[in-house]
Amino acid sequence: MKNYNNQKFNKNIFDYKNLLEISFLKSKLYRASFKNCNLENCNFWESNLAYANFNNSKLKNCIFTDANLNNTSFVNSTLIDSNLTHANLKGINFKTTKLVNINLRDA
């Protein structure tokens, strides 16, 4: 797994990327863009993803436990086998998002 833990990626653009087995543990990704991405086995545990954009992306086996997803957008995306336990989902946009086997416990 590639390790980008505790890094600052605020406003970074990752659009149209295949992001496989990457750890962004406790990273700052405020307003980051992941549009049209394929994310698999990525770890965003305790990361700040407020106002991030995951529109039109596929996310599989991703961890968002204790992450700040305030006002994050997942429009037209697919989330499969992912964990959002204790995540801040205030204002999140799941419009037309396909959710398959998602853990939203205490979110």
Side-chain angles (χ1 to χ4, degrees), residues 70-85:
N70 183 39
N71 289 299
T72 295
S73 182
F74 289 90
V75 173
N76 292 326
S77 294
T78 302
L79 277 81
I80 302 169
D81 299 326
S82 294
N83 190 344
L84 284 74
T85 301

Side-chain angles (χ1 to χ4, degrees), residues 31 50 101:
R31 292 197 185 272
N101 196 31

Side-chain angles (χ1 to χ4, degrees), residues 3 24-25 63 70 99:
N3 182 334
F24 292 102
L25 179 97
I63 299 168
N70 183 39
L99 303 173

Side-chain angles (χ1 to χ4, degrees), residues 2-60:
K2 292 181 183 173
N3 182 334
Y4 296 105
N5 298 338
N6 296 301
Q7 300 297 311
K8 275 183 114 173
F9 292 107
N10 293 331
K11 298 182 182 178
N12 272 30
I13 298 172
F14 299 94
D15 297 352
Y16 297 94
K17 302 282 189 241
N18 282 316
L19 302 172
L20 309 175
E21 298 190 10
I22 298 176
S23 180
F24 292 102
L25 179 97
K26 297 185 178 184
S27 290
K28 292 172 179 51
L29 293 143
Y30 176 81
R31 292 197 185 272
S33 181
F34 295 89
K35 291 186 288 187
N36 299 291
C37 284
N38 178 37
L39 296 98
E40 191 166 335
N41 298 314
C42 291
N43 186 354
F44 295 96
W45 186 71
E46 286 192 3
S47 291
N48 181 2
L49 290 149
Y51 297 91
N53 187 331
F54 288 91
N55 292 350
N56 302 305
S57 294
K58 181 180 178 185
L59 298 91
K60 185 174 182 184

